Amino acid sequence: MTQIDFKAEVAARKDDLLADLFSLLKINSERDDSQVTPETPFGPGPVAALQQFLSLAERDGYATKNVDNYAGHFTYGDDLPEDAEVLGIFAHMDVVPAGTGWASNPYEPEIRDGKIYARGASDDKGPTMACYYGLKILKELNVPLTKKIRFIAGTDEESGWGDMDYYFAHVGLPEPDFGFSPDAEFPIINGEKGNITEYLHITGDNSGAVHLHSFTGGLRENMVPESATAVISGDLADLNTKLEAFVSAHADKNLRFETETAANGQVTVVLHGRSAHGAMPEKGVNGATYLAKFLNEIGVVSPFTQIAGTILIEDHAGDKTGVAFEDPKMGALSMNAGVFNFDDASSDNTIALNFRYPQGTDSEAISKVLVALEGVDTVSKSTHEHTPHYVPMADELVSTLLDVYEKQTGLKGHEQIIGGGTFGRLLKRGVAFGAMFPGDIDTMHQANEFIPVDVLLRAAAIYAEAIYELAK
């Protein structure tokens, strides 16, 4: 076969790639449980994004299948023998909530200083379209392949992966033989820690000079809460002065607050930190744990705020909580206190802790430690759990992808094991591959999420050659 200049082929399609990507980024595909119907299993936004993605594939001549709006796919190489191996590519159309703090509308994509700003730009619509165009190049050049390709897009990756559970149960096809997900970073992610959310159920006294009526914080379990809100009453003398002193005492966290007094004398306090991906909680500032710490200091006496503001605050590795664990190969456990709910009229108040755990421990061992915490009544677990996943370096899938990465970048490839969970782990021989490069700024799950245009194009060229090498 004549040598293909993949970078030149991508450059020739730059405008089309950006236009197609923008058509996806303009869709608010956050999960919305308030609008769930049989036709919109995770709300209308994820469905709209999935349908738009499949419409692009239909436009380009692929055979598509929408599996009841949970997930869908398109296929390439349908003329190959029935027993040909299948390369799976897994992406997702859903996004985490945009939250606050954006310099522009998160669903009106903009290019500023060479970067595409929008929710989903880097997680995962941008990488998805880079990979889509990688395959599109091979199709348009009519490059002969010996393996079939199934490009699968889900709609619930950021929550419970109910999309993939439903897809595999109803698609009527066997799993692909091997594959990758363009939803992480280069050079490769061939290992992923286990992922489980455990819920602390807390009751107990709510006394003290300041009474806590309610406390909420966090949008998703896999996001560091950007802010939290508490409604309080009682001895609130000099409240704003105390808040200013608290913010000043933690100046390195760049906290900010606002208050509002209701007619009944109750005061609503909102404290803002900084969001981040739940797999890397140390990169954010948890507004909920800092608000709980403040409430403890001004007179709230509650097991809820005591746990949140004393034990969980800055406890990213689970040291104070008592669940810390480290494996020589997969690294240390991480913990994100993601969603907080307290109501003084409720006997069941909860804090959701999202764990990324290595081999050597498990969710049951974590539960046994958590339930022994003072103030915790019971601990429950999310219905969906991912156990640790690893594909050896010797596997041809891993070695091939690293070879392509090294050829295109001139950089040495190496294995990586992360706390984040990707669709790469759906297959026994599955990995995550790109699209973020070493040294890139990671803005996933944060305000002002972006992907540089040049990164998008570089990734597309790598994906084109990678798909060719895996399926030739």
Side-chain angles (χ1 to χ4, degrees):
M1 186 190 74
T2 303
Q3 185 69 30
I4 301 174
D5 185 340
F6 289 107
K7 293 179 181 178
E9 294 293 341
V10 171
R13 295 165 175 81
K14 173 184 175 181
D15 291 344
D16 290 341
L17 193 167
L18 292 177
D20 286 345
L21 172 57
F22 274 43
S23 76
L24 293 174
L25 293 174
K26 290 179 180 178
I27 299 172
N28 178 343
S29 53
E30 299 174 13
R31 176 170 173 160
D32 186 352
D33 291 339
S34 70
Q35 298 193 62
V36 167
T37 69
E39 292 74 34
T40 59
F42 307 109
V47 171
L50 173 65
Q51 292 174 344
Q52 173 61 15
F53 177 74
L54 294 178
S55 75
L56 297 177
E58 290 172 358
R59 176 202 67 191
D60 292 335
Y62 297 104
T64 67
K65 183 178 180 65
N66 183 335
V67 184
D68 300 330
N69 287 334
Y70 280 80
H73 71 244
F74 69 84
T75 55
Y76 183 59
D78 298 327
D79 56 337
L80 292 173
E82 188 174 334
D83 62 350
E85 283 191 301
V86 178
L87 164 64
I89 300 172
F90 294 87
H92 67 92
M93 291 293 102
D94 60 308
V95 297
V96 297
T100 61
W102 287 76
S104 56
N105 187 327
Y107 296 109
E108 287 295 335
E110 293 184 6
I111 298 179
R112 303 194 303 271
D113 300 323
K115 302 178 181 72
I116 303 169
Y117 286 86
R119 177 56 92 217
S122 62
D123 183 17
D124 179 40
K125 294 174 182 177
T128 297
M129 291 314 296
C131 195
Y132 179 91
Y133 267 77
L135 178 56
K136 182 178 171 71
I137 288 168
L138 300 180
K139 181 178 186 295
E140 291 180 350
L141 297 180
N142 199 27
V143 175
L145 303 176
T146 64
K147 296 179 177 65
K148 298 179 180 181
I149 297 166
R150 197 188 329 160
F151 201 127
I152 304 163
T155 59
D156 187 40
E157 194 271 351
E158 297 292 4
S159 296
W161 290 32
D163 53 349
M164 288 295 107
D165 291 341
Y166 189 94
Y167 173 83
F168 283 119
H170 294 84
V171 70
L173 295 169
E175 292 183 358
D177 297 283
F178 61 102
F180 69 89
S181 175
D183 187 24
E185 58 192 74
F186 294 118
I188 201 168
I189 304 296
N190 59 313
E192 298 183 14
K193 296 176 185 177
N195 187 336
I196 186 71
T197 297
E198 307 215 6
Y199 305 91
L200 307 182
H201 297 266
I202 304 166
T203 54
D205 295 333
N206 174 22
S207 56
V210 175
H211 183 83
L212 177 64
H213 296 273
S214 65
F215 187 110
T216 57
L219 298 171
R220 288 284 188 275
E221 294 159 1
N222 62 349
M223 297 174 68
V224 176
E226 181 271 334
S227 66
T229 301
V231 177
I232 54 179
S233 64
D235 182 6
L236 303 181
D238 301 318
L239 177 64
N240 278 24
T241 300
K242 292 175 181 177
L243 275 163
E244 289 169 358
F246 182 81
V247 167
S248 177
H250 301 283
D252 60 317
K253 304 301 180 182
N254 293 312
L255 300 169
R256 56 189 177 86
F257 71 89
E258 59 221 36
T259 62
E260 181 178 350
T261 303
N264 62 3
Q266 294 181 1
V267 178
T268 298
V269 180
V270 182
L271 188 70
H272 297 269
R274 184 179 70 252
S275 186
H277 197 299
M280 295 162 283
E282 70 281 358
K283 293 188 175 183
V285 177
N286 193 315
T289 58
Y290 274 93
L291 178 55
K293 177 179 172 64
F294 172 75
L295 295 175
N296 290 336
E297 292 179 1
I298 65 168
V300 170
V301 178
S302 165
F304 187 91
T305 57
Q306 185 65 25
I307 291 170
T310 303
I311 299 175
L312 299 180
I313 190 166
E314 299 293 337
D315 192 30
H316 309 310
D319 293 310
K320 289 186 290 183
T321 314
V323 297
F325 184 87
E326 185 165 359
D327 173 74
K329 189 172 192 65
M330 299 196 84
L333 171 149
S334 68
M335 180 184 74
N336 177 55
V339 179
F340 297 71
N341 284 294
F342 175 92
D343 188 316
D344 65 351
S346 173
S347 60
D348 185 22
N349 302 296
T350 59
I351 300 175
L353 305 179
N354 182 239
F355 294 95
R356 313 299 171 108
Y357 64 90
Q359 58 190 7
T361 188
D362 56 41
S363 60
E364 195 57 37
I366 294 170
S367 292
K368 289 179 180 178
V369 174
L370 297 178
V371 77
L373 292 175
E374 185 176 354
V376 173
D377 294 315
T378 60
V379 174
S380 61
K381 297 189 288 187
S382 55
T383 56
H384 201 90
E385 177 179 3
H386 302 300
T387 55
H389 172 77
Y390 180 72
V391 182
M393 286 280 284
D395 190 292
E396 186 178 4
L397 169 65
V398 177
S399 60
T400 298
L401 292 176
L402 287 179
D403 285 346
V404 171
Y405 170 80
E406 291 177 352
K407 177 182 175 183
Q408 288 230 14
T409 65
L411 301 172
K412 179 64 177 174
H414 55 85
E415 75 172 354
Q416 292 188 104
I417 299 169
I418 63 168
T422 76
F423 278 166
R425 73 194 305 154
L426 287 166
L427 303 178
K428 183 176 181 181
R429 294 183 62 217
V431 299
F433 188 56
M436 196 168 70
F437 289 89
D440 285 353
I441 299 172
D442 182 1
T443 58
M444 296 183 188
H445 294 203
Q446 300 175 44
N448 300 306
E449 177 184 347
F450 69 81
I451 188 170
V453 174
D454 64 337
V455 165
L456 191 73
L457 303 182
R458 289 170 65 199
I462 290 176
Y463 288 135
E465 186 164 2
I467 295 169
Y468 169 70
E469 290 294 338
L470 291 173
K472 69 181 179 181

